[in-house]
Amino acid sequence: MAQEVKGWDRNQMAERAAKELEDGFYVNLGIGIPTLVANYIPDGVDVTLQSENGMLGMGPFPYDDEVDPDLINAGKQTITELRRTSYFSSADSFAMIRGGHIDLSILGAMEVSENGDLANWMIPGKMVKGMGGAMDLVAGVKRVVVVMDHASKSGDPKLLHECSLPLTGQQVVDMVITNLGVFEIERGKGMKLTELAPGVTIDDVKAQTEAAFDVAV
Amino acid sequence: MKKIYPDARAALDGLTFDGMTVMSGGFGLCGIPENLIAALRDSGVKDITVISNNAGVDDFGLGLLLQTRQIKKMISSYVGENKEFERQYLSGELELEFNPQGTLAERCRAGGAGIPGFYTKTGVGTLIAEGKEHKEFDGETYIMETGLVADLSIVKAWKADEQGNLVFRKTARNFNPMMATAGKFTVAEVEEIVPLGSLDPDCIHTPGVYVQRLIKGDHEKRVEQRTVRQRETA
């Protein structure tokens, strides 16, 4: 019986994603695994986290006696401010996103296609929650990194020739980090596998991927 | 002209009518005009189109107006916290227009600034772009979005002076400043009304020209997701 290929766990995926952070970056982290990236910011790399509800310089969760209902992140979680923090309106927040002033967005996905299309906001007839700020982020931020499980819970590939779900953005993803490895996507040139998680083979990746990709590991 | 009203009900008197459009500030439950939402419910006004980033939770915020079926249509970016919303939408009782969050914010800003439309990259190639004008600028494709205005905007600020100059606090600012500009009438509720001259004129977020009526409210300020870390014990 074939052994299940695991590769990286959630925290290891976040740790790998954190290597994409550069000193001085302004970064927006999505909900889920991307939030964990904040725990792995490399030493000597100074980044400022943006929260799209209207804050730059997001701090850690508060201690119990510090909880402030006026201070939440885009996931509606209570957070804290830092000495560098600034607050602004949602219009200003998305002006800095749409205007290309945020360096990096790390977010989750349901599907990514080989040309960088992203689907992460809607399952027709089933899930009607809304896109929130995801469409603005992927259209406006300089670089978009997706962190997600390589396959769905039922084992279906999530890296596809074409997304089957409604898109969040067209040709917007620059990198995908899954539990099996790392893919880079260059606009108009397709997808290439650039890194394998420990213990994962190229054949393991191929077996769980529908999208066409070059191998450059 | 005196802008200060004794309570939320008095502040909405004469401003509500069936089929009206209402902008309601806030992000999640943070910075929502909770007293004015309750007064809107109590006014009994029906068939409201509500423009708000979120729809509250089942028993607080705009969820109160969903419970009483006073909302005909919502224009929002994310409604995932509200089960009653999902039920009413999936059963066809409630109309819904999803806007990307930044597009929604900019539509309110534009509406308040007298700008009827603008072009954005957000949503190009998605369901959001269907039926909208596409235009190229410097080789990039953009879609046209329209400005939004409302018959009534209800907003929440931290402090106001007697002229309706507003100051917001932390992330409770969110959609409130733009929505204050985009209402034909704007009613603000605040935690404290201070005498003229006690707010620093350089630090006013929303000038009083946008605010027609003002109340001091009592605020529950419910926390949606209380996330904390533990102190390390010595």
Side-chain angles (χ1 to χ4, degrees):
Chain A
M1 203 176 88
Q3 220 177 353
E4 199 188 347
V5 181
K6 281 268 195 228
W8 286 316
D9 66 19
R10 285 164 59 88
N11 283 300
Q12 289 165 327
M13 287 158 72
E15 190 172 4
R16 174 60 191 81
K19 291 186 183 164
E20 300 305 311
L21 303 170
E22 293 179 26
D23 194 36
F25 262 20
Y26 290 88
V27 179
N28 185 291
L29 300 177
I31 294 163
I33 302 174
T35 304
L36 301 174
V37 173
N39 300 333
Y40 298 99
I41 298 171
D43 286 343
V45 173
D46 181 72
V47 300
T48 301
L49 299 179
Q50 201 245 18
S51 188
E52 66 265 26
N53 50 322
M55 177 183 196
L56 272 172
M58 187 166 48
F61 294 142
Y63 295 116
D64 197 55
D65 54 9
E66 289 176 338
V67 168
D68 183 340
D70 288 339
L71 183 44
I72 63 169
N73 64 16
K76 281 95 179 178
Q77 297 170 311
T78 49
I79 48 163
T80 54
E81 65 186 20
L82 304 170
R83 283 154 60 99
R84 71 177 63 182
T85 296
S86 58
Y87 298 109
F88 33 83
S89 74
S90 304
D92 288 331
S93 179
F94 283 95
M96 69 182 72
I97 288 167
R98 202 187 300 106
H101 306 280
I102 302 297
D103 297 292
L104 178 64
S105 172
I106 302 177
L107 71 178
M110 298 174 191
E111 297 176 347
V112 177
S113 79
E114 62 201 30
N115 67 354
D117 293 353
L118 167 70
N120 74 351
W121 76 280
M122 184 189 188
I123 304 172
K126 267 193 195 164
M127 190 190 87
V128 281
K129 292 179 187 297
M131 71 290 282
M135 284 190 181
D136 310 276
L137 282 160
V138 300
V141 170
K142 286 181 198 159
R143 188 154 185 267
V144 174
V145 173
V146 164
V147 182
M148 65 175 192
D149 288 327
H150 200 89
S152 72
K153 287 199 178 80
S154 49
D156 297 320
K158 296 172 67 167
L159 286 170
L160 305 172
H161 291 305
E162 281 179 34
C163 294
S164 63
L165 295 169
L167 296 185
T168 308
Q170 216 171 30
Q171 297 189 54
V172 292
V173 178
D174 298 293
M175 175 179 272
V176 183
I177 298 168
T178 77
N179 50 311
L180 301 187
V182 180
F183 297 81
E184 286 176 23
I185 302 173
E186 209 177 324
R187 227 186 227 221
K189 291 193 180 165
M191 186 182 266
K192 74 182 176 211
L193 175 67
T194 57
E195 247 177 271
L196 289 166
V200 175
T201 67
I202 292 168
D203 285 339
D204 293 333
V205 175
K206 282 186 174 158
Q208 293 193 44
T209 309
E210 183 201 281
F213 61 90
D214 294 331
V215 177
V217 288
Chain B
M1 196 180 90
K2 200 160 162 48
K3 295 187 177 179
I4 302 170
Y5 282 67
D7 55 37
R9 174 192 291 239
L12 293 188
D13 187 43
L15 300 184
T16 60
F17 56 92
D18 292 348
M20 73 186 303
T21 300
V22 177
M23 280 187 190
S24 183
F27 179 91
L29 300 181
C30 182
I32 60 171
E34 47 185 278
N35 293 272
L36 290 162
I37 290 170
L40 204 56
R41 176 197 58 194
D42 296 342
S43 78
V45 62
K46 294 191 296 284
D47 296 329
I48 314 171
T49 293
V50 175
I51 301 166
S52 174
N53 189 55
N54 309 97
V57 294
D58 284 344
D59 63 341
F60 193 61
L62 291 171
L64 297 176
L65 298 177
L66 286 166
Q67 273 181 5
T68 51
R69 313 286 173 90
Q70 284 167 277
I71 300 179
K72 183 181 78 174
K73 179 179 176 182
M74 289 281 317
I75 300 178
S76 301
S77 89
Y78 190 84
V79 296
E81 292 92 358
N82 193 313
K83 295 242 170 5
E84 176 62 13
F85 187 105
E86 199 159 10
R87 193 200 63 70
Q88 285 187 25
Y89 174 67
L90 290 174
S91 68
E93 295 162 51
L94 181 69
E95 292 172 51
L96 171 62
E97 179 185 322
F98 274 132
N99 281 195
Q101 195 174 143
T103 295
L104 182 63
E106 190 64 11
R107 291 184 75 190
C108 298
R109 196 196 70 80
I115 295 171
F118 58 93
Y119 294 94
T120 176
K121 271 191 296 192
T122 303
V124 171
T126 74
L127 291 177
I128 296 305
E130 285 178 10
K132 289 179 183 158
E133 185 199 329
H134 287 58
K135 188 165 176 164
E136 273 198 22
F137 295 87
D138 293 331
E140 281 259 16
T141 303
Y142 296 75
I143 54 173
M144 193 188 76
E145 296 283 359
T146 54
L148 284 171
V149 291
D151 297 306
L152 171 69
S153 284
I154 52 176
V155 301
K156 153 79 174 52
W158 180 37
K159 288 182 182 179
D161 67 17
E162 293 154 22
Q163 282 294 310
N165 291 314
L166 303 181
V167 176
F168 302 95
R169 186 171 176 273
K170 303 187 189 282
T171 57
R173 191 181 321 182
N174 55 62
F175 280 80
N176 285 297
M178 298 81 74
M179 289 186 168
T181 69
K184 286 178 197 156
F185 283 92
T186 292
V187 182
E189 63 176 69
V190 299
E191 293 173 47
E192 191 183 354
I193 300 177
V194 299
L196 285 180
S198 47
L199 295 176
D200 180 350
D202 269 329
C203 295
I204 285 165
H205 298 130
T206 292
V209 66
Y210 297 113
V211 178
Q212 280 73 49
R213 296 183 184 183
L214 183 64
I215 58 159
K216 183 194 168 301
D218 293 316
H219 295 95
E220 175 186 335
K221 290 210 207 177
R222 194 182 293 186
V223 171
E224 203 159 335
Q225 287 196 50
R226 188 185 183 90
T227 43
V228 295
R229 60 185 161 140
Q230 301 303 318
R231 278 203 170 82
E232 285 171 35
T233 43

